[in-house]
Amino acid sequence: QVLLRTFRDRRTYAELLVGLVLLWLMLGLAFTGLLDNFENLFLDMRFKLRGQRPFPNVINLIAEDEISLDVFGRWPWSRNIHAEVLDALRHKSFQPAVVGYDFLFENKSENNPEGDKALVFRTQHMDDKIVMAYFFEKGPGSSFERDELKENYLEKFAIPHSDSVPEQLDAADKVSLPFTELSAASQLAFVNTPVDDDGRTRRAQLLMRYRDKIYPSMDLLLIFSYLDVKPQDVRLEKRAIVIEKTRIGKLVIPIGAKGNMLINYYGSLDQISGYSVIEVLKESRGWMKGQEPRLLRSFKDKIVLVGVTALGLGDRRVTPFQRYESGLSLHAQVIANILDQ
């Protein structure tokens, strides 16, 4: 009877009808994803209002910047230069906990094979502390010629099967790995980055599926190495990556259904200790002549990221803080998120 009286009251009936229409509209907007854009805009505003916050001091940078370009000339550089950077880091007094090298050396150099040999040699002498970048690609894979030898090296870094994994985990059809000798000498991790519909980067892809195996991103593999854990110590859940047996205790990284993580941005890279490639090499050469290596000592036991910051080079991203964010910055943001929990 109460229900019948409600429908006899025209005003109540109209209010109920308006409510249902609004509910229907909100559900429709939610399914089309239009509300996501508003949520993202409010998230960006919160970052701006909050301001920057300090990065953890375990991250350090070596940048291929404008100053280095003035010295070494146009990109790409001889791989002897990259080998010399690694040579500067390999000594026990300066050796980082792990080095993330954000360059793709997919093919050997036709003009300078000696540079390739030097890069492989220095990588081999870094005690398995180098993570080299590769890219996953999507698209028909029938015409793609796989390099089974290189992919065998890749499989060493797959995360073991878990009973539960993100149900919409991003999958790839192809992979672009470093040339064979470099793939054999280094750890391997992907550097794919998702982009929202408005062109901004707010998430980090931490996991991807390839040929029925699940692989970690560079940021995640650097964390593994820094905490001295193996992929076998990792368990996947639908909404989390759980790292067991770390020296800081159990680590839980929240992720979405696609295997990505929302980035809580820290701000500008200016807050992180960073040096130009030319600064590192100049001090390394000076140390060989007996000078004090103050700069090099700052890398000891840190996570060191090596990559491009010079404008016009590398893949740039739009973020809540910057319009032209370098890949190096994104790696630093994600690693800091995970370490700070």
Side-chain angles (χ1 to χ4, degrees):
Q1 290 180 350
V2 173
L3 186 61
L4 288 173
R5 283 199 301 270
T6 299
F7 280 99
R8 287 171 185 159
D9 186 338
R10 290 186 177 181
R11 182 175 177 179
T12 304
Y13 181 78
E15 290 173 350
L16 180 62
L17 186 61
V18 169
L20 289 173
V21 169
L22 289 174
L23 177 62
W24 179 80
L25 286 173
M26 293 297 289
L27 288 172
L29 288 171
F31 279 114
T32 58
L34 291 176
L35 292 180
D36 294 343
N37 293 331
F38 286 104
E39 185 177 358
N40 288 335
L41 288 173
F42 283 119
L43 179 65
D44 293 350
M45 288 174 60
R46 287 183 63 189
F47 283 128
K48 293 287 182 65
L49 292 171
R50 185 207 67 194
Q52 302 194 63
R53 61 194 183 107
F55 284 84
N57 62 6
V58 300
I59 304 172
N60 213 322
L61 310 176
I62 299 177
E64 307 212 347
D65 56 3
E66 285 85 356
I67 299 173
S68 301
L69 288 174
D70 290 342
V71 176
F72 294 118
R74 294 178 59 187
W75 188 262
W77 295 341
S78 165
R79 290 173 184 175
N80 287 306
I81 297 172
H82 299 286
E84 192 176 354
V85 171
L86 295 183
D87 191 43
L89 299 176
R90 71 182 177 88
H91 300 280
K92 295 297 181 183
S93 300
F94 321 133
Q95 194 173 82
V98 63
V99 179
Y101 224 84
D102 190 17
F103 299 97
L104 177 60
F105 300 107
E106 184 175 8
N107 300 308
K108 290 185 177 181
S109 173
E110 296 180 359
N111 302 322
N112 185 17
E114 293 305 315
D116 290 339
K117 292 179 182 178
L119 179 58
V120 171
F121 179 78
R122 296 306 180 198
T123 301
Q124 290 171 332
H125 286 77
M126 281 293 289
D127 300 329
D128 204 28
K129 294 181 181 292
I130 295 287
V131 178
M132 288 289 178
Y134 68 85
F135 283 92
F136 278 128
E137 302 175 52
K138 297 181 181 181
S142 57
S143 60
F144 178 68
E145 185 177 346
R146 301 187 191 278
D147 189 322
E148 295 293 344
L149 179 57
K150 287 200 290 188
E151 293 194 18
N152 285 339
Y153 295 131
L154 176 62
E155 288 184 8
K156 294 189 298 183
F157 306 102
I159 296 174
H161 176 74
S162 299
D163 293 333
S164 180
V165 300
E167 61 268 25
Q168 299 174 33
L169 185 59
D170 216 5
D173 302 296
K174 308 175 185 178
V175 62
S176 297
L177 292 159
F179 63 87
T180 304
E181 292 83 354
L182 192 57
S183 288
S186 61
Q187 298 190 71
L188 301 169
F190 71 83
V191 289
N192 298 65
T193 303
V195 179
D196 287 338
D197 292 339
D198 62 356
R200 291 178 181 261
T201 295
R202 297 181 180 87
R203 291 168 177 77
Q205 194 68 40
L206 297 185
L207 302 170
M208 285 191 74
R209 189 190 299 277
Y210 178 66
R211 299 184 74 180
D212 296 325
K213 294 185 183 296
I214 298 175
Y215 292 94
S217 70
M218 176 172 281
D219 308 317
L220 193 54
L221 192 56
L222 288 170
I223 291 291
F224 291 175
S225 293
Y226 179 71
L227 298 178
D228 196 25
V229 301
K230 304 296 183 184
Q232 291 74 22
D233 299 321
V234 178
R235 186 179 78 254
L236 300 182
E237 297 179 357
K238 285 188 175 182
R239 292 293 183 274
I241 301 168
V242 182
I243 306 176
E244 308 279 5
K245 303 177 184 177
T246 80
R247 51 187 167 85
I248 62 172
K250 183 178 178 181
L251 197 66
V252 179
I253 306 169
I255 54 175
K258 293 184 177 181
N260 56 35
M261 180 189 78
L262 192 65
I263 303 172
N264 188 352
Y265 276 94
Y266 285 67
S268 169
L269 274 189
D270 296 341
Q271 305 174 74
I272 302 180
S273 296
Y275 305 97
S276 168
V277 166
I278 194 63
E279 290 181 285
V280 173
L281 297 186
K282 183 178 179 180
E283 183 163 300
S284 177
R285 294 164 185 171
W287 177 65
M288 293 294 184
K289 298 176 182 178
Q291 297 175 13
E292 177 64 23
R294 293 186 181 87
L295 182 157
L296 292 174
R297 293 190 193 282
S298 69
F299 297 128
K300 178 67 175 173
D301 297 328
K302 300 286 183 67
I303 298 174
V304 175
L305 300 169
V306 186
V308 171
T309 61
L311 288 174
L313 294 179
D315 187 18
R316 293 282 165 167
R317 301 285 180 170
V318 182
T319 71
F321 279 105
Q322 301 286 341
R323 289 189 60 80
Y324 301 103
E325 197 83 74
S326 67
L328 207 61
S329 174
L330 290 176
H331 291 309
Q333 311 277 354
V334 177
I335 291 167
N337 268 239
I338 296 172
L339 290 177
D340 280 350
Q341 285 282 278

